[in-house]
Coordinates of all heavy atoms in Angstrom, one line a residue:
T1 N -5.9 -2.3 22.1 CA -6.1 -3.6 21.7 C -4.8 -4.3 21.4 O -3.7 -3.6 21.3 CB -7.0 -3.7 20.4 OG1 -6.3 -3.1 19.4 CG2 -8.3 -3.1 20.6
G2 N -4.8 -5.6 21.2 CA -3.6 -6.4 21.1 C -2.7 -5.9 19.9 O -1.5 -5.6 20.1
F3 N -3.3 -5.8 18.7 CA -2.5 -5.5 17.5 C -2.0 -4.0 17.5 O -1.0 -3.7 17.0 CB -3.2 -5.8 16.2 CG -4.4 -5.0 16.0 CD1 -4.4 -3.8 15.4 CD2 -5.7 -5.5 16.5 CE1 -5.5 -3.0 15.2 CE2 -6.8 -4.7 16.3 CZ -6.7 -3.5 15.7
H4 N -2.8 -3.2 18.1 CA -2.5 -1.7 18.2 C -1.1 -1.5 18.8 O -0.3 -0.8 18.3 CB -3.6 -1.0 18.9 CG -3.5 0.5 18.7 ND1 -2.9 1.3 19.7 CD2 -4.0 1.4 17.8 CE1 -2.9 2.6 19.3 NE2 -3.6 2.6 18.1
K5 N -0.9 -2.2 19.9 CA 0.4 -2.0 20.6 C 1.6 -2.5 19.8 O 2.7 -2.0 20.0 CB 0.4 -2.6 22.0 CG 0.3 -4.1 22.1 CD 0.3 -4.6 23.5 CE 0.2 -6.1 23.5 NZ 0.0 -6.6 24.9
F6 N 1.3 -3.5 19.0 CA 2.4 -4.0 18.2 C 2.8 -3.1 17.0 O 3.9 -3.0 16.6 CB 2.1 -5.4 17.6 CG 2.1 -6.4 18.7 CD1 0.9 -6.9 19.2 CD2 3.2 -6.9 19.2 CE1 0.8 -7.9 20.2 CE2 3.2 -7.9 20.2 CZ 2.0 -8.4 20.7
V7 N 1.8 -2.3 16.5 CA 2.0 -1.4 15.4 C 2.6 -0.1 15.9 O 3.6 0.4 15.4 CB 0.8 -1.1 14.6 CG1 1.0 0.0 13.6 CG2 0.2 -2.4 13.9
V8 N 2.1 0.4 17.0 CA 2.6 1.6 17.6 C 3.8 1.4 18.5 O 4.8 2.1 18.3 CB 1.5 2.3 18.5 CG1 2.0 3.6 19.1 CG2 0.3 2.6 17.6
G9 N 3.8 0.4 19.3 CA 5.0 0.1 20.1 C 5.0 1.0 21.4 O 4.3 2.0 21.5
K10 N 5.9 0.6 22.3 CA 6.1 1.3 23.5 C 6.7 2.7 23.2 O 7.7 2.8 22.5 CB 7.0 0.5 24.5 CG 7.1 1.1 25.9 CD 7.8 0.1 26.8 CE 7.8 0.6 28.2 NZ 8.5 -0.3 29.1
K11 N 6.0 3.7 23.7 CA 6.4 5.1 23.4 C 6.5 5.4 21.9 O 7.4 6.1 21.5 CB 7.7 5.4 24.2 CG 7.5 5.4 25.7 CD 8.8 5.8 26.4 CE 8.6 5.7 27.9 NZ 9.8 6.2 28.6
N12 N 5.7 4.8 21.2 CA 5.7 5.0 19.7 C 6.9 4.5 19.0 O 7.2 4.9 17.9 CB 5.4 6.4 19.3 CG 4.0 6.9 19.6 OD1 3.1 6.0 19.5 ND2 3.8 8.1 19.8
S13 N 7.7 3.6 19.6 CA 9.0 3.2 19.1 C 8.8 2.4 17.7 O 9.6 2.7 16.8 CB 9.7 2.3 20.1 OG 9.0 1.1 20.4
V14 N 7.9 1.5 17.6 CA 7.7 0.8 16.4 C 7.2 1.7 15.3 O 7.7 1.7 14.2 CB 6.7 -0.4 16.6 CG1 6.4 -1.1 15.3 CG2 7.2 -1.4 17.6
L15 N 6.3 2.5 15.6 CA 5.7 3.5 14.6 C 6.8 4.4 14.1 O 6.9 4.7 12.9 CB 4.5 4.2 15.2 CG 3.8 5.1 14.2 CD1 3.1 4.3 13.1 CD2 2.7 5.9 15.0
A16 N 7.6 4.9 15.0 CA 8.7 5.9 14.7 C 9.7 5.2 13.8 O 10.1 5.8 12.8 CB 9.3 6.4 15.9
K17 N 10.1 4.0 14.1 CA 11.0 3.3 13.2 C 10.4 3.0 11.9 O 11.1 3.1 10.8 CB 11.5 2.0 13.9 CG 12.5 1.2 13.1 CD 13.1 0.0 13.8 CE 14.1 -0.8 13.1 NZ 14.6 -0.3 11.8
L18 N 9.2 2.6 11.8 CA 8.5 2.3 10.6 C 8.5 3.6 9.7 O 8.8 3.5 8.5 CB 7.1 1.8 10.8 CG 6.2 1.4 9.6 CD1 6.9 0.4 8.8 CD2 4.9 0.9 10.1
Q19 N 8.2 4.7 10.3 CA 8.2 6.0 9.6 C 9.5 6.3 9.1 O 9.7 6.7 7.9 CB 7.6 7.1 10.4 CG 6.1 6.9 10.7 CD 5.6 8.0 11.7 OE1 4.6 8.6 11.3 NE2 6.1 8.2 12.8
M20 N 10.6 6.1 9.9 CA 11.9 6.5 9.5 C 12.4 5.6 8.4 O 13.0 6.0 7.4 CB 12.9 6.4 10.7 CG 14.2 6.9 10.4 SD 15.4 7.1 11.8 CE 14.9 5.8 12.9
D21 N 12.2 4.3 8.5 CA 12.6 3.3 7.5 C 12.0 3.5 6.2 O 12.6 3.3 5.1 CB 12.3 1.9 8.0 CG 13.2 1.4 9.1 OD1 14.2 2.2 9.5 OD2 12.9 0.4 9.7
T22 N 10.7 3.9 6.2 CA 10.0 4.0 4.9 C 9.9 5.5 4.4 O 9.4 5.7 3.3 CB 8.6 3.4 5.0 OG1 7.8 4.2 6.0 CG2 8.6 2.0 5.3
G23 N 10.2 6.5 5.2 CA 10.1 7.9 4.8 C 8.7 8.3 4.7 O 8.4 9.2 4.0
T24 N 7.8 7.7 5.5 CA 6.4 8.1 5.5 C 6.0 8.7 6.9 O 6.7 8.7 7.8 CB 5.5 6.9 5.3 OG1 5.8 5.9 6.3 CG2 5.8 6.2 3.9
K25 N 4.8 9.3 6.9 CA 4.2 9.8 8.1 C 2.9 8.9 8.2 O 2.1 8.8 7.3 CB 3.8 11.2 7.9 CG 3.0 11.8 9.1 CD 3.8 11.9 10.4 CE 2.9 12.5 11.4 NZ 3.2 12.0 12.8
I26 N 2.7 8.3 9.4 CA 1.6 7.4 9.6 C 0.8 7.9 10.8 O 1.3 8.1 11.9 CB 2.1 5.9 9.9 CG1 3.0 5.5 8.8 CG2 0.9 5.0 10.1 CD1 3.8 4.2 9.1
S27 N -0.5 8.1 10.5 CA -1.4 8.5 11.5 C -2.3 7.3 11.9 O -3.0 6.8 11.1 CB -2.3 9.6 11.0 OG -3.3 10.0 11.9
V28 N -2.1 6.9 13.2 CA -2.8 5.7 13.6 C -3.9 6.1 14.6 O -3.6 6.9 15.6 CB -1.8 4.7 14.3 CG1 -2.6 3.5 14.9 CG2 -0.7 4.3 13.4
P29 N -5.1 5.7 14.4 CA -6.2 6.1 15.3 C -6.1 5.5 16.7 O -5.6 4.3 16.8 CB -7.5 5.6 14.6 CG -7.0 4.5 13.9 CD -5.6 4.8 13.4
A30 N -6.5 6.2 17.7 CA -6.6 5.6 19.0 C -7.8 4.6 19.0 O -8.8 4.9 18.6 CB -6.8 6.6 20.1
V31 N -7.5 3.4 19.5 CA -8.6 2.4 19.6 C -9.2 2.5 21.0 O -8.5 2.1 22.0 CB -8.1 1.0 19.2 CG1 -9.2 0.0 19.4 CG2 -7.5 1.0 17.8
T32 N -10.4 2.9 21.1 CA -11.0 3.0 22.4 C -12.1 2.0 22.6 O -12.7 1.9 23.7 CB -11.6 4.5 22.6 OG1 -12.6 4.7 21.6 CG2 -10.6 5.5 22.6
S33 N -12.4 1.2 21.6 CA -13.4 0.2 21.7 C -13.0 -1.0 22.6 O -11.8 -1.4 22.6 CB -13.8 -0.3 20.3 OG -14.7 -1.4 20.4
N34 N -13.9 -1.5 23.4 CA -13.6 -2.7 24.1 C -14.2 -3.9 23.4 O -14.3 -5.0 24.1 CB -14.3 -2.6 25.5 CG -13.5 -1.5 26.4 OD1 -12.3 -1.3 26.2 ND2 -14.3 -0.8 27.2
S35 N -14.5 -3.8 22.2 CA -15.1 -4.9 21.4 C -14.2 -6.1 21.4 O -12.9 -6.0 21.3 CB -15.3 -4.4 20.0 OG -15.8 -5.5 19.2
E36 N -14.8 -7.3 21.5 CA -14.0 -8.5 21.5 C -13.9 -9.0 20.0 O -13.2 -10.0 19.8 CB -14.8 -9.6 22.3 CG -14.8 -9.3 23.8 CD -13.4 -9.2 24.4 OE1 -12.5 -10.0 24.1 OE2 -13.1 -8.3 25.2
D37 N -14.6 -8.3 19.1 CA -14.6 -8.8 17.7 C -13.3 -8.2 17.0 O -13.3 -7.1 16.6 CB -15.9 -8.3 17.0 CG -16.0 -8.8 15.6 OD1 -14.9 -9.3 15.0 OD2 -17.1 -8.7 15.0
I38 N -12.3 -9.0 17.0 CA -11.0 -8.6 16.4 C -11.2 -8.1 15.0 O -10.5 -7.2 14.5 CB -9.9 -9.6 16.6 CG1 -8.5 -9.1 16.3 CG2 -10.2 -10.8 15.7 CD1 -8.1 -8.1 17.3
G39 N -12.1 -8.8 14.2 CA -12.3 -8.4 12.8 C -12.8 -7.0 12.7 O -12.3 -6.2 11.8
K40 N -13.7 -6.6 13.6 CA -14.2 -5.2 13.5 C -13.1 -4.2 13.9 O -12.9 -3.1 13.3 CB -15.4 -5.0 14.5 CG -16.6 -5.6 14.0 CD -17.8 -5.3 14.9 CE -19.1 -6.0 14.4 NZ -20.2 -5.7 15.3
L41 N -12.2 -4.6 14.9 CA -11.2 -3.7 15.3 C -10.1 -3.5 14.2 O -9.6 -2.4 14.0 CB -10.5 -4.2 16.6 CG -11.4 -4.1 17.8 CD1 -10.8 -4.8 19.0 CD2 -11.7 -2.7 18.2
I42 N -9.8 -4.6 13.5 CA -8.8 -4.6 12.5 C -9.3 -3.7 11.3 O -8.6 -2.9 10.7 CB -8.4 -6.0 12.0 CG1 -7.5 -6.6 13.1 CG2 -7.6 -5.9 10.7 CD1 -7.2 -8.1 12.8
S43 N -10.6 -3.9 11.0 CA -11.2 -3.1 9.9 C -11.2 -1.6 10.3 O -10.9 -0.8 9.4 CB -12.7 -3.6 9.7 OG -13.3 -2.8 8.8
F44 N -11.5 -1.3 11.5 CA -11.5 0.1 12.0 C -10.1 0.6 11.8 O -9.9 1.7 11.3 CB -11.9 0.2 13.5 CG -11.7 1.5 14.1 CD1 -12.6 2.5 13.9 CD2 -10.6 1.7 14.9 CE1 -12.3 3.8 14.5 CE2 -10.3 3.0 15.5 CZ -11.2 4.0 15.2
F45 N -9.1 -0.1 12.3 CA -7.7 0.3 12.2 C -7.3 0.6 10.8 O -6.7 1.6 10.5 CB -6.8 -0.8 12.9 CG -5.4 -0.4 13.0 CD1 -5.0 0.4 14.0 CD2 -4.5 -0.8 12.0 CE1 -3.6 0.8 14.2 CE2 -3.1 -0.4 12.2 CZ -2.7 0.3 13.2
K46 N -7.6 -0.4 9.9 CA -7.2 -0.2 8.5 C -7.9 0.9 7.8 O -7.3 1.6 6.9 CB -7.5 -1.5 7.7 CG -6.5 -2.6 8.1 CD -6.7 -3.9 7.2 CE -5.6 -4.9 7.4 NZ -5.8 -6.0 6.5
T47 N -9.1 1.2 8.1 CA -9.9 2.2 7.4 C -9.6 3.6 8.0 O -9.8 4.6 7.3 CB -11.4 2.0 7.4 OG1 -11.9 1.9 8.7 CG2 -11.7 0.7 6.6
K48 N -9.1 3.7 9.2 CA -8.9 5.0 9.8 C -7.5 5.4 9.9 O -7.2 6.6 10.1 CB -9.5 5.0 11.3 CG -10.9 4.7 11.4 CD -11.8 5.8 10.7 CE -13.2 5.5 10.9 NZ -14.1 6.4 10.1
S49 N -6.5 4.5 9.6 CA -5.1 4.9 9.5 C -4.8 5.6 8.2 O -5.4 5.3 7.2 CB -4.2 3.6 9.6 OG -4.4 3.0 10.9
V50 N -3.9 6.6 8.3 CA -3.5 7.3 7.1 C -2.0 7.3 7.0 O -1.3 7.6 7.9 CB -4.0 8.8 7.2 CG1 -3.5 9.6 6.0 CG2 -5.5 8.9 7.4
I51 N -1.6 6.9 5.8 CA -0.1 6.9 5.5 C 0.1 7.9 4.4 O -0.5 7.8 3.3 CB 0.3 5.5 5.0 CG1 0.0 4.4 6.0 CG2 1.8 5.5 4.7 CD1 0.2 3.0 5.6
T52 N 1.1 8.8 4.6 CA 1.5 9.8 3.6 C 3.0 9.6 3.4 O 3.7 9.3 4.3 CB 1.1 11.2 3.9 OG1 1.7 11.5 5.2 CG2 -0.4 11.4 4.0
G53 N 3.4 9.9 2.2 CA 4.9 9.8 1.9 C 5.2 10.4 0.6 O 4.3 10.8 -0.2
P54 N 6.5 10.5 0.3 CA 7.0 11.2 -0.9 C 6.7 10.4 -2.2 O 6.6 11.0 -3.3 CB 8.5 11.4 -0.7 CG 8.8 10.2 0.3 CD 7.6 10.0 1.1
T55 N 6.6 9.1 -2.1 CA 6.4 8.3 -3.3 C 5.4 7.2 -3.0 O 5.1 6.8 -1.8 CB 7.7 7.6 -3.7 OG1 8.1 6.6 -2.7 CG2 8.8 8.6 -4.0
R56 N 4.8 6.7 -4.0 CA 3.8 5.6 -3.9 C 4.5 4.3 -3.3 O 4.0 3.6 -2.5 CB 3.2 5.2 -5.2 CG 2.3 4.1 -5.2 CD 1.5 3.9 -6.5 NE 0.7 2.8 -6.6 CZ -0.5 2.6 -6.0 NH1 -1.0 3.7 -5.3 NH2 -1.2 1.5 -6.1
T57 N 5.8 4.1 -3.7 CA 6.6 3.0 -3.2 C 6.7 3.0 -1.7 O 6.6 2.0 -1.0 CB 7.9 2.9 -3.9 OG1 7.7 2.9 -5.3 CG2 8.8 1.8 -3.5
S58 N 7.0 4.2 -1.2 CA 7.2 4.3 0.3 C 5.9 4.1 1.0 O 5.9 3.4 2.1 CB 7.8 5.7 0.6 OG 6.9 6.7 0.3
I59 N 4.8 4.5 0.5 CA 3.5 4.3 1.1 C 3.2 2.8 1.1 O 2.7 2.3 2.1 CB 2.4 5.2 0.4 CG1 2.7 6.6 0.7 CG2 1.0 4.8 0.9 CD1 1.9 7.6 -0.2
V60 N 3.3 2.2 -0.1 CA 3.1 0.7 -0.2 C 3.9 -0.1 0.7 O 3.5 -1.0 1.4 CB 3.2 0.3 -1.7 CG1 3.1 -1.2 -1.8 CG2 2.1 0.9 -2.5
S61 N 5.2 0.3 0.9 CA 6.1 -0.4 1.8 C 5.7 -0.3 3.2 O 5.6 -1.3 3.9 CB 7.5 0.2 1.6 OG 8.4 -0.3 2.6
A62 N 5.2 0.9 3.6 CA 4.7 1.1 5.0 C 3.5 0.3 5.2 O 3.3 -0.4 6.3 CB 4.5 2.6 5.3
K63 N 2.6 0.3 4.3 CA 1.3 -0.5 4.4 C 1.6 -2.0 4.5 O 1.0 -2.7 5.3 CB 0.4 -0.2 3.2 CG -0.9 -0.9 3.4 CD -1.8 -0.8 2.2 CE -3.1 -1.6 2.3 NZ -3.0 -2.9 2.8
S64 N 2.5 -2.4 3.7 CA 2.9 -3.9 3.7 C 3.5 -4.3 5.0 O 3.1 -5.3 5.6 CB 3.9 -4.2 2.6 OG 3.3 -4.0 1.3
R65 N 4.3 -3.4 5.6 CA 4.9 -3.7 6.9 C 3.9 -3.7 8.0 O 3.9 -4.6 8.9 CB 6.1 -2.8 7.2 CG 7.2 -3.1 6.2 CD 8.4 -2.2 6.4 NE 9.0 -2.3 7.7 CZ 10.0 -1.6 8.1 NH1 10.7 -0.8 7.3 NH2 10.5 -1.7 9.3
I66 N 3.0 -2.8 7.9 CA 1.9 -2.8 8.9 C 1.0 -4.0 8.8 O 0.7 -4.7 9.8 CB 1.0 -1.5 8.8 CG1 1.8 -0.3 9.2 CG2 -0.3 -1.6 9.6 CD1 1.2 1.0 8.9
D67 N 0.7 -4.4 7.6 CA -0.1 -5.6 7.4 C 0.6 -6.9 7.9 O 0.0 -7.7 8.5 CB -0.4 -5.8 5.9 CG -1.4 -4.8 5.3 OD1 -2.1 -4.2 6.1 OD2 -1.5 -4.7 4.1
L68 N 1.9 -7.0 7.7 CA 2.7 -8.1 8.3 C 2.6 -8.1 9.8 O 2.5 -9.2 10.4 CB 4.1 -8.0 7.8 CG 4.4 -8.4 6.4 CD1 5.9 -8.1 6.0 CD2 4.1 -9.9 6.2
I69 N 2.8 -6.9 10.4 CA 2.7 -6.9 11.9 C 1.3 -7.4 12.3 O 1.2 -8.1 13.3 CB 2.9 -5.4 12.4 CG1 4.4 -5.0 12.1 CG2 2.6 -5.3 13.9 CD1 4.7 -3.6 12.3
M70 N 0.3 -6.9 11.7 CA -1.1 -7.2 12.1 C -1.4 -8.7 11.9 O -2.1 -9.3 12.7 CB -2.1 -6.3 11.4 CG -2.0 -4.9 11.8 SD -3.1 -3.8 10.9 CE -4.7 -4.3 11.4
E71 N -0.8 -9.3 10.8 CA -1.0 -10.7 10.6 C -0.3 -11.6 11.6 O -0.8 -12.7 11.9 CB -0.5 -11.1 9.2 CG -1.4 -10.6 8.1 CD -0.9 -10.8 6.7 OE1 0.1 -11.5 6.6 OE2 -1.4 -10.2 5.7
S72 N 0.8 -11.1 12.1 CA 1.6 -11.9 13.1 C 1.0 -11.9 14.5 O 1.4 -12.6 15.3 CB 3.0 -11.4 13.1 OG 3.1 -10.1 13.7
V73 N 0.0 -11.0 14.7 CA -0.5 -10.9 16.1 C -1.6 -11.9 16.3 O -2.3 -12.3 15.5 CB -1.1 -9.5 16.3 CG1 -1.9 -9.4 17.6 CG2 -0.1 -8.4 16.2

């Protein structure tokens, strides 16, 4: 879907940079739905993604950056 490619990036480039910058590990689900309902797709993405990191601050930072990417799409 549209927002998925912006969060993951070409060859995972955006996701890798986000993980490196925040010190987190981010597991992003593959979106296989062809649904036109962007609200459902964003909800799926937000509920199925997992962010782990050494501190709460690093996790919140990664989540905030992902939210900004998704809002800009």
